[in-house]
Amino acid sequence: MGLNAMRVAVIGAGIGGLAVAQALARRGADVTVFEQASEIAEVGAGLQISPNGARVLDALGLGAELRQRAVMARTVQLCDYRGGEVLRLDLGDTGQGGYHFLHRADLINLLANGARAAGVRIRLLQRIIGVADGRRPRVELANGAGFDADLVIGADGLHSVVRAALNGPRAPFFTGQVAWRALVPNSAERCPEVRVHMGPIRHVVSYPLRGGSLLNLVAVQERAAWTAESWSQTDDPQSLRAAFGDFCDEVQGMLAAVDKVNLWGLFRHEVARAWHGEGLAILGDAAHPTLPFMAQGACLALEDGWVLAAALDEEGDVAKGLVRYQALREARARRVVAAASANAWKYHLAFPPLRWAAHTALRAGGRLAPSRMIRQFDWIYGYNAIDAVGQPVNDG
């Protein structure tokens, strides 16, 4: 059965869901997206689209609009929490392509418009309570209705009903870190760079959005206990300011401008063992939730969407296409998730001699071997999902 005869249900109108819906529809599939919200929107603020994610958006015909809406990053700067520069790297030296700062809502709108233009139907206010696998899988809705398809794709995030159907219930574990997220005016007219202020058990990431008019802030603190796992939970901005009260004047200026802030606990979910079953598949956070410390959650979802659609198209058979999809994606996703999980401690060194030694090494690396410093993650940013399906399966 070719894609021209395939009826696909995608659960979730987030980044991965809209990307795979468009990629499939452009190959001739009949695609319906089910979204439980009353409108296509995204809680959160900024995100980064590195070259590996931008390649997918280019292939979907959305690259020009991405570059129109995004701020193009020029540099990455690491700073001590007291303000001194530790390392500055020129992103133009990577040879991988552009790095983009984008408001999450802008990316969702871009993807939704592209999906609709490709013929995707997006149904809102559709709460999914279960899925049934089989040769003709079925989506079960809270209103008692059902939707039969040839393939059901769970792009429904951390609490995916499709992941649960494939893998059973699994409890996440708290990482010992919480994160605040806020948007503030870019009153200091910051240039287009990612800036990370690193302090004992805490760090603050900031970068500009929307033509440089705003700054996106993400502040992370280690904490002993936490119960909630929600992006929409709010906090008192004064609590954020108190947690980072010993950081430098630049950080204090940004935090002083915060009038609304979200706070959530960072939890780790295991990478799913099974990414597909009979007529079912998962992608993005439903398959491999990742911590934000490599800024790869959105990019991995985009990669998944393209590879899943391309594998189904190439194989011409749902079962074989799903097997190929997981074989191509699982090792890479696990490697990126592991890199993100391991990255936070580097920003949080609390023992002063160790922090001094680490920062001294970074400064030396930036002076003596800047290209090596910036190219250490070429395996992430140089990945090309467009070519991946035609390549032998490897370790990602």
Side-chain angles (χ1 to χ4, degrees), residues 376-393:
Q376 64 181 307
F377 294 114
D378 276 3
W379 63 272
I380 293 181
Y381 308 133
Y383 177 85
N384 191 333
I386 314 311
D387 296 337
V389 176
Q391 301 298 317
V393 175

Side-chain angles (χ1 to χ4, degrees), residues 288-325:
H288 47 74
T290 183
L291 295 174
F293 304 126
M294 292 301 300
Q296 284 298 299
C299 291
L300 285 177
L302 291 169
E303 292 176 6
D304 285 350
W306 182 273
V307 172
L308 175 53
L312 290 166
D313 194 18
E314 181 178 275
E315 295 292 342
D317 175 86
V318 172
K320 291 180 180 178
L322 295 181
V323 169
R324 181 117 181 105
Y325 158 65

Side-chain angles (χ1 to χ4, degrees), residues 2 30 42 109 132 155 173 193 228 258 262 275 282:
D30 178 9
E42 185 73 22
N109 288 336
F173 62 89
E193 74 174 8
V258 174
N262 290 95
W275 294 29
I282 52 176

Side-chain angles (χ1 to χ4, degrees), residues 105-359:
D106 294 341
L107 179 59
I108 291 292
N109 288 336
L110 183 156
L111 288 165
N113 291 338
R116 290 190 177 104
V120 174
R121 291 178 297 278
I122 301 175
R123 293 173 54 177
L124 303 176
L125 291 170
Q126 306 293 306
R127 188 167 70 86
I128 309 302
I129 59 173
V131 293
D133 62 357
R135 295 183 61 85
R136 191 68 170 168
R138 182 177 179 84
V139 175
E140 299 168 346
L141 290 90
N143 63 8
F147 185 90
D148 295 321
D150 300 304
L151 175 64
V152 175
I153 299 173
D156 43 348
L158 296 174
H159 307 292
S160 168
V161 296
V162 185
R163 175 183 171 123
L166 291 170
N167 293 272
R170 300 298 291 268
F173 62 89
F174 179 53
T175 64
Q177 299 175 89
V178 298
W180 290 266
R181 184 185 293 271
L183 289 172
V184 299
N186 186 11
S187 55
E189 299 184 354
R190 273 266 303 279
C191 65
E193 74 174 8
V194 181
R195 195 168 295 171
V196 184
H197 287 86
M198 307 176 293
I201 70 170
R202 293 156 297 160
H203 75 274
V204 178
V205 180
S206 57
Y207 53 85
L209 297 174
R210 288 187 168 166
S213 63
L214 299 173
L215 283 178
N216 186 67
L217 304 181
V218 180
V220 177
Q221 180 190 43
E222 295 179 17
R223 186 176 292 186
W226 189 254
T227 56
E229 184 186 21
S230 169
W231 282 48
S232 59
Q233 179 169 319
T234 60
D235 193 29
D236 184 344
Q238 190 55 41
S239 298
L240 168 62
R241 288 187 277 269
F244 293 85
D246 57 343
F247 275 51
C248 65
D249 289 345
E250 180 185 5
V251 173
Q252 298 308 315
M254 292 187 290
L255 299 185
V258 174
D259 59 9
K260 180 181 179 181
V261 65
N262 290 95
L263 172 67
W264 77 102
L266 299 182
F267 284 73
R268 275 286 290 116
H269 298 246
E270 294 181 0
V271 175
R273 176 188 55 81
W275 294 29
H276 63 86
E278 190 173 7
L280 302 178
I282 52 176
L283 57 71
D285 281 352
H288 47 74
T290 183
L291 295 174
F293 304 126
M294 292 301 300
Q296 284 298 299
C299 291
L300 285 177
L302 291 169
E303 292 176 6
D304 285 350
W306 182 273
V307 172
L308 175 53
L312 290 166
D313 194 18
E314 181 178 275
E315 295 292 342
D317 175 86
V318 172
K320 291 180 180 178
L322 295 181
V323 169
R324 181 117 181 105
Y325 158 65
Q326 182 169 352
L328 286 166
R329 293 298 300 157
E330 183 179 1
R332 172 170 171 79
R334 287 185 181 278
R335 188 178 178 192
V336 175
V337 168
S341 299
N343 212 33
W345 72 269
K346 301 175 184 179
Y347 300 151
H348 291 183
L349 297 173
F351 185 49
L354 181 58
R355 185 171 64 250
W356 177 86
H359 289 187

